[in-house]
């Protein structure tokens, strides 16, 4: 936390203000073009209220209007007698609806330094002037193509209020403009050394960048490096540091990382790739030794200088020497894949890249490219697994399950393709294939006069945010003239994590159109009980992991108690209770005794082709 000691001259008196608890967030430097300030005169009381978030209505109503450059603010304008409250607009735009009955003043184009402070700090002109005078003495903001200095005769100073904060803008002047040479592609204005630094070094930290590091990956022996491991890491929640403590504090964190990499005896070379991403070529060593080295490395970089109570955490992917050497300049892809497996925000994580990850990556990329061909060649097949009423031992319906007859040569288990399709969005096409084939079967059975039992189809979580989802589903079903009550959409419990409100609205809309809704895999998530009273579901499907505990000889009383209460709760809430995965008569009998109504499992039938289902249950 930065401490400022400011000498403030107010009227005829001098004050020494020691702002012990004032945190100053240096934001950035910005440019504002020539513009019109629409303003109202304000009393001292109105100004002080503004600093606490109270904006006069005749200004507040223009917030976020088209053509405004900023939010409503308090302005100290040279030439006006006192502070005013106003809002800035772009000039001469026929599309802009400019305010009426407000005073205006033309403001020239200018540069500003921006800082943010808590809104419980008393603000006035002298406070602001002294504050920026202190900041100017140690201005260390990063500007690669320009230099600014404080403007002693500032014509415009402004204050904008946000949530419990005030953002202060003080006019500065531009005195070294190299940006114009970049904008005009005038490379003759740059020395070769300058151009080299721009190409191969990071302007914020002064360290090398990815362009420089990649040369080591292509020809490592030019630097005498025989072999190496590779690490790629970033800072967890780096945006929090940027937003809460400011870009200067954040840049200091980046520079500290660079310093640590350069001083580490196990690092051959390193680079800042982009944002808060870094990469290192490191010496090969046993895995446990390497992890300890990296843990110590990150622990030394875990304290934020501006706030010792804030803990910095990292996520790091490491590619061992053998795989790093085989990957060449593609090694960062592997490291990033391992890094992506770091999910705990409250600790530093180091994940070692494995051949299994490589196989999954290669396979995932291949089937992502091949899926359209597979669809065209009709390789995806629908199987049906019957559901039985265990009190009467009669069929009640089925669940549609996708199978992939890969190149019409072998059937792949679902885990070899479903997770990959869910990740890249292809699962929507697979869901539609299942729905179409189910509807084709219903149309055939209806024409033949066969009995029709409901069939459940999966509704993948990634599809819930498609605004055309419901119309797409309905169009497929109605094309085959299938009664809506014959289609049961299954949503896995884990699909409810992201946006419960939106998910509920989708399910309610589907149910209002006559479809059935099931919650699959109940008991495997974390929000089950809180959702049960809100979800418009018809069937609760108890996950197989609960059914597996019903084993007869070695079943635990605790497991049976939980299962009994789940079944009882479902029935009291008006849901049909279905248990998945029953494989023995003992399990079926026990579930019947506990009050379960429907069974889906190998005891009655494994998933079978549609033709076999038709022959066995509809004839």
């Amino acid at each position: 936390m930065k401490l400022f000691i400011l000498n403030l001259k107010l009227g005829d008196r001098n004050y020494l203000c020691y702002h012990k608890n004032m945190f100053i967030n240096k934001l950035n430097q910005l440019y504002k073009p020539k513009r019109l300030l629409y303003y109202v005169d304000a009393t001292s009381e109105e100004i002080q209220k503004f600093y606490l978030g109270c904006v006069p209505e005749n200004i507040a109503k223009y917030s976020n209007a088209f053509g405004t450059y900023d939010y409503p603010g308090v302005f100290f304008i040279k030439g006006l007698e006192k502070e005013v409250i106003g809002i800035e607009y772009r000039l001469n735009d026929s599309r802009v609806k400019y305010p009426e009955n407000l005073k205006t003043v033309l403001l020239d184009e200018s540069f500003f330094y921006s800082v943010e402070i808590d809104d419980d700090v008393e603000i006035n002109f002298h406070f602001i002037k002294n504050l920026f005078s202190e900041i100017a003495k140690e201005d260390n903001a990063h500007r690669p193509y320009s230099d600014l200095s404080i403007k002693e005769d500032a014509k415009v100073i402004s204050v904008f209020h946000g949530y419990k904060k005030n953002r202060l803008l003080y006019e500065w002047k531009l005195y070294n403009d190299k940006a114009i040479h970049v904008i005009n592609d005038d490379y003759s204005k740059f020395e070769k050394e300058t151009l080299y630094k721009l190409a191969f070094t990071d302007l914020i930290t002064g360290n090398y960048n990815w362009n420089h590091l990649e040369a080591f990956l292509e020809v490592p022996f030019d630097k005498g490096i025989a072999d190496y491991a590779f690490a790629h890491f970033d800072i967890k929640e780096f945006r929090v540091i940027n937003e809460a403590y400011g870009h200067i504090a954040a840049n200091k964190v980046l520079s500290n990382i660079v310093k640590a990499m350069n001083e580490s005896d196990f690092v051959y070379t390193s680079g800042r790739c982009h944002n808060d991403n870094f990469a290192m070529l490191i010496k090969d060593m046993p895995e446990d030794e390497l992890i300890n080295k990296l843990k110590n490395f990150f622990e030394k970089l875990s304290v934020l200088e501006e706030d010792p109570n804030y803990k910095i955490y990292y996520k790091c992917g490491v590619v061992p020497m053998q795989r790093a050497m085989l990957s060449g300049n593609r090694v960062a892809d592997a490291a990033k894949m391992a890094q992506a497996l770091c999910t705990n925000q409250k600790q530093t994580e180091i994940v070692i890249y494995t051949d299994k990850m490589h196989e999954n990556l290669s396979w995932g990329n291949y089937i992502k490219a091949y899926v359209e061909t597979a669809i065209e060649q009709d390789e995806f097949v629908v199987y049906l697994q019957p559901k039985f009423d265990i009190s009467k031992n009669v069929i009640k319906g089925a669940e549609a399950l996708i199978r992939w007859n890969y190149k019409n040569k072998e059937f792949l288990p679902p885990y070899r393709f479903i997770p990959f399709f869910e990740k890249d969005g292809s699962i929507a096409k697979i869901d539609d294939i299942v729905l179409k084939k189910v509807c084709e079967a219903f149309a055939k059975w209806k024409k033949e006069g066969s009995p029709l039992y409901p069939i459940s189809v999966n509704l993948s979580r990634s599809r819930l945010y498609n605004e055309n989802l419901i119309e797409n589903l309905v169009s497929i079903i109605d094309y085959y003239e299938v009664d809506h009550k014959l289609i049961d959409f299954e949503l896995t419990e884990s699909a409810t994590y992201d946006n419960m409100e939106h998910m509920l609205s989708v399910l309610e809309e589907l149910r209002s159109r006559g479809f059935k809704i099931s919650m699959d895999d109940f008991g495997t998530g974390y929000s089950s009980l809180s959702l049960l009273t809100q979800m418009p579901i018809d069937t609760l499907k108890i996950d197989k992991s609960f059914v597996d505990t019903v084993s007869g000889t070695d079943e635990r009383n605790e497991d049976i108690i939980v299962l009994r209460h789940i079944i009882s709760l479902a029935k009291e809430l008006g849901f049909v209770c279905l248990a998945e995965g029953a494989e023995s008569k003992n399990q079926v009998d026990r579930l019947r005794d506990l009050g379960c109504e429907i069974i889906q499992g190998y005891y009655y039938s494994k998933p079978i082709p549609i033709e076999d289902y038709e022959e066995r249950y509809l004839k």
Side-chain angles (χ1 to χ4, degrees), residues 193-208:
E193 183 180 350
T194 300
L195 293 174
Y196 182 86
K197 287 183 177 179
L198 289 173
F200 297 108
T201 63
D202 167 42
L203 297 175
I204 290 179
T205 65
N207 194 41
Y208 293 117

Side-chain angles (χ1 to χ4, degrees), residues 58-97:
N58 52 354
I59 293 293
K61 64 182 179 181
Y62 298 112
S63 295
N64 298 312
F66 176 72
T68 56
Y69 281 116
D70 213 325
Y71 303 99
V74 168
F75 291 82
F76 301 79
I77 308 294
K78 192 171 184 178
L80 298 183
E81 293 182 2
K82 60 178 183 178
E83 306 101 303
V84 297
I85 297 177
I87 190 165
E88 300 158 300
Y89 272 86
R90 181 168 58 234
L91 294 172
N92 303 321
D93 190 331
S94 60
R95 301 165 298 175
V96 173
K97 186 176 181 181

Side-chain angles (χ1 to χ4, degrees), residues 39-52 54-56 58-59 73-76 81-86 103 123:
Y39 70 92
V40 294
D41 294 320
T43 64
S44 297
E45 182 181 3
E46 288 173 326
I47 296 293
Q48 292 306 315
K49 284 184 177 179
F50 178 92
Y51 293 149
L52 296 174
C54 183
V55 184
N58 52 354
I59 293 293
V74 168
F75 291 82
F76 301 79
E81 293 182 2
K82 60 178 183 178
E83 306 101 303
V84 297
I85 297 177
K103 296 180 180 180
I123 296 175

Side-chain angles (χ1 to χ4, degrees), residues 385-399 454 456 488 490 518 538-543 547 563 567 570-571 575-582 587-588 591-601 603-604:
Q385 185 172 30
K387 303 173 184 178
F388 275 80
D389 181 330
I390 57 176
S391 64
K392 302 177 182 178
N393 274 326
V394 296
I395 191 167
K396 295 293 290 185
E399 178 182 2
S456 57
D488 185 342
E490 286 195 7
S518 295
D538 301 282
T539 301
L540 190 70
K541 299 185 71 174
I542 301 174
D543 186 68
V547 176
L563 191 54
I567 294 170
K571 296 177 77 170
F575 307 145
V576 173
C577 192
L578 182 153
E580 296 182 281
Q587 286 179 322
V588 173
L591 288 165
R592 184 189 296 112
D593 293 342
L594 291 171
C596 187
E597 301 156 285
I598 309 293
I599 290 289
Q600 177 185 337
Y603 175 75
Y604 284 104

Side-chain angles (χ1 to χ4, degrees), residues 27 30 32 35 37 50-53 55 59 63 68-76 84-88 107 112-119 123 128 156-170:
L27 296 175
L30 51 91
K32 287 189 177 183
R35 60 212 181 278
L37 173 66
F50 178 92
Y51 293 149
L52 296 174
V55 184
I59 293 293
S63 295
T68 56
Y69 281 116
D70 213 325
Y71 303 99
V74 168
F75 291 82
F76 301 79
V84 297
I85 297 177
I87 190 165
E88 300 158 300
L107 303 180
F112 293 89
Y113 198 117
S114 172
V115 302
E116 188 178 71
I117 63 175
D118 294 337
D119 67 1
I123 296 175
I128 296 173
V156 180
I157 303 171
S158 46
V159 181
F160 304 90
H161 187 272
Y163 179 70
K164 296 187 180 298
K165 300 285 184 180
N166 279 311
R167 177 166 51 93
L168 283 56
L169 270 62
Y170 195 96

Side-chain angles (χ1 to χ4, degrees), residues 340-409:
L341 299 177
C342 301
T343 56
N344 188 334
Q345 294 297 338
K346 291 302 180 183
Q347 69 180 46
T348 290
E349 296 174 278
I350 301 166
V351 175
I352 304 295
Y353 182 79
T354 65
D355 284 339
K356 181 67 174 176
M357 293 180 199
H358 175 71
E359 291 167 7
N360 285 339
L361 173 64
S362 299
W363 171 248
N365 288 336
Y366 173 74
I367 65 174
K368 181 178 180 179
Y370 181 71
V371 65
E372 295 295 341
T373 301
I375 292 173
E376 184 179 337
Q377 295 180 355
D378 198 26
E379 295 180 14
F380 293 102
V381 181
V382 171
Y383 276 39
L384 298 178
Q385 185 172 30
K387 303 173 184 178
F388 275 80
D389 181 330
I390 57 176
S391 64
K392 302 177 182 178
N393 274 326
V394 296
I395 191 167
K396 295 293 290 185
E399 178 182 2
L401 301 167
I402 191 70
R403 297 292 183 264
W404 188 358
N405 186 7
Y406 177 62
K407 295 188 176 181
N408 293 309
K409 293 180 180 178

Side-chain angles (χ1 to χ4, degrees), residues 503-513 517 534 536:
M503 180 269 296
L504 291 174
S505 69
V506 171
L507 297 186
E508 287 167 356
E509 175 66 16
L510 286 171
R511 203 160 185 243
S512 71
R513 298 193 182 214
I517 305 293
Q534 302 177 59

